[in-house]
Amino acid sequence: MEKKGKWWHVLAKAIAVGGTMTVPGASGGTMAMILGIYEELIESMGNLPGLLAESMSRGSDACARRRLWDSLRFLALFCLGALAGMALLARGVLSLLEHYPMAVSYFFLGAVAGGIPLICRQARVKKITWQALFWPLAGLFMVYGLAALPEGLFAAGLSGGVSSPGTPSFRALLFQFLGGCILAVALILPGISVSQMLLMLGLYEPVMEAVSSLHFASLLPLGLGAVLCTLLVTRLLGGAMKRRPQPTYLLILGFVLGSLGELYPGLPEGWDLLFAPLSAVAGYQLLSRLARRAE
């Protein structure tokens, strides 16, 4: 962790990433890249199982235990900061969506579109090939496949907020866990919004209510699924971004393009005819400028 700065730097960056995750259309992974913390985050998560096994072996040395401690400390600080950022902004985002749904939705549309140029530059497509068409289409189909799932399927046991009576059934807990596994993809890949994934899974409002009310116990199955699947696929996806960056970023592009359709709230009316386009431009400019600073 020393190579990235002091502990308060990690905590502050994690708060920014966590706050970003509460905004539909804004990618926590992209924000992590912008803040220069993404590579260490992927490395720490991907190496954690190996470091644990190495430290528990009889022939482990002090260096192995130190690397394990550094990774655990970094991840603990990051998780703490991300949860704090989500808790600080969740209530405000819900309030804005309730009072200004059209303007806020168009701001999110602009924010999603603002990340597209960065993804295209990362893909480095120099000519149109079958791969340049296949991978974005695959991402699109995956997004619409998720959108075709029964509404609220993964929100069982969370619907109705923290005041829902009774104890969730095993089926409800299982679906929350599976929703967390799907959510892990958004946690890992830059360009995919965690909040947008929550929206597609029917989990956004229940999760935001639980976070804003500090009722984290109801999120344990979801969080467990997300953490376990993140640890399982981090090494695979991190390696893919290094060894096969073009197909990986083109797949991400398909996710982002698909999310635009899912976010579209319809045509504005009245005063929203003025404020909705302005909000979209503001969202685009904000994220695109942040993305350019990341390069």
Side-chain angles (χ1 to χ4, degrees):
M1 186 166 61
E2 288 76 10
K3 64 183 178 181
K4 292 296 181 184
K6 301 297 184 178
W7 65 268
W8 58 84
H9 293 159
V10 174
L11 194 62
K13 292 176 180 180
I15 290 173
V17 173
T20 302
M21 284 194 247
T22 67
V23 180
S27 166
T30 299
M31 181 58 67
M33 291 182 66
I34 292 170
L35 297 175
I37 202 174
Y38 181 75
E39 290 186 9
E40 188 177 4
L41 182 60
I42 292 297
E43 181 181 352
S44 296
M45 289 190 296
N47 292 339
L48 189 59
L51 290 174
L52 282 170
E54 185 179 354
S55 298
M56 293 174 65
S57 65
R58 292 184 178 181
S60 64
D61 54 16
C63 183
R65 290 190 293 270
R66 176 60 183 272
R67 291 200 307 271
L68 174 62
W69 167 245
D70 286 344
S71 293
L72 288 174
R73 183 174 55 170
F74 172 81
L75 291 173
L77 278 172
F78 183 85
C79 291
L80 178 64
L83 287 173
M86 292 176 68
L88 288 171
L89 291 184
R91 190 178 297 275
V93 171
L94 283 175
S95 179
L96 286 172
L97 282 171
E98 181 181 355
H99 292 94
Y100 310 101
M102 189 63 69
V104 173
S105 295
Y106 270 83
F107 178 86
F108 294 155
L109 276 173
V112 173
I116 291 177
L118 170 65
I119 299 171
C120 293
R121 290 192 293 270
Q122 294 285 354
R124 298 178 182 177
V125 177
K126 298 181 179 178
K127 61 180 180 179
I128 301 298
T129 63
W130 71 268
Q131 289 188 358
L133 298 175
F134 172 79
W135 291 111
L137 287 175
L140 276 171
F141 281 122
M142 291 175 69
V143 169
Y144 287 114
L146 289 172
L149 293 172
E151 185 176 354
L153 176 65
F154 294 96
L158 282 176
S159 299
V162 296
S163 60
S164 298
T167 302
S169 64
F170 174 77
R171 179 176 177 273
L173 296 176
L174 178 61
F175 275 113
Q176 286 185 42
F177 179 84
L178 293 176
C181 291
I182 298 174
L183 191 63
V185 176
L187 288 169
I188 296 171
L189 289 177
I192 300 179
S193 166
V194 173
S195 296
Q196 177 58 22
M197 188 69 76
L198 286 171
L199 280 171
M200 288 188 291
L201 296 176
L203 290 168
Y204 181 76
E205 289 190 6
V207 168
M208 290 299 100
E209 289 178 7
V211 171
S212 63
S213 303
L214 303 181
H215 196 272
F216 295 113
S218 63
L219 302 179
L220 283 177
L222 183 76
L224 183 61
V227 169
L228 290 179
C229 290
T230 296
L231 290 174
L232 287 174
V233 302
T234 295
R235 184 182 295 272
L236 176 64
L237 293 176
M241 294 182 74
K242 292 181 179 179
R243 294 190 294 268
R244 301 288 303 277
Q246 187 175 95
T248 304
Y249 279 104
L250 288 174
L251 186 67
I252 293 171
L253 178 62
F255 268 101
V256 174
L257 292 174
S259 70
L260 288 172
E262 294 298 317
L263 274 172
Y264 179 62
L267 292 174
E269 299 178 353
W271 283 105
D272 286 326
L273 285 170
L274 172 64
F275 292 114
L278 292 176
S279 297
V281 171
Y284 181 90
Q285 290 294 330
L286 176 62
L287 198 62
S288 62
R289 288 186 180 184
L290 289 173
R292 283 196 294 269
R293 291 182 181 181
E295 295 181 293

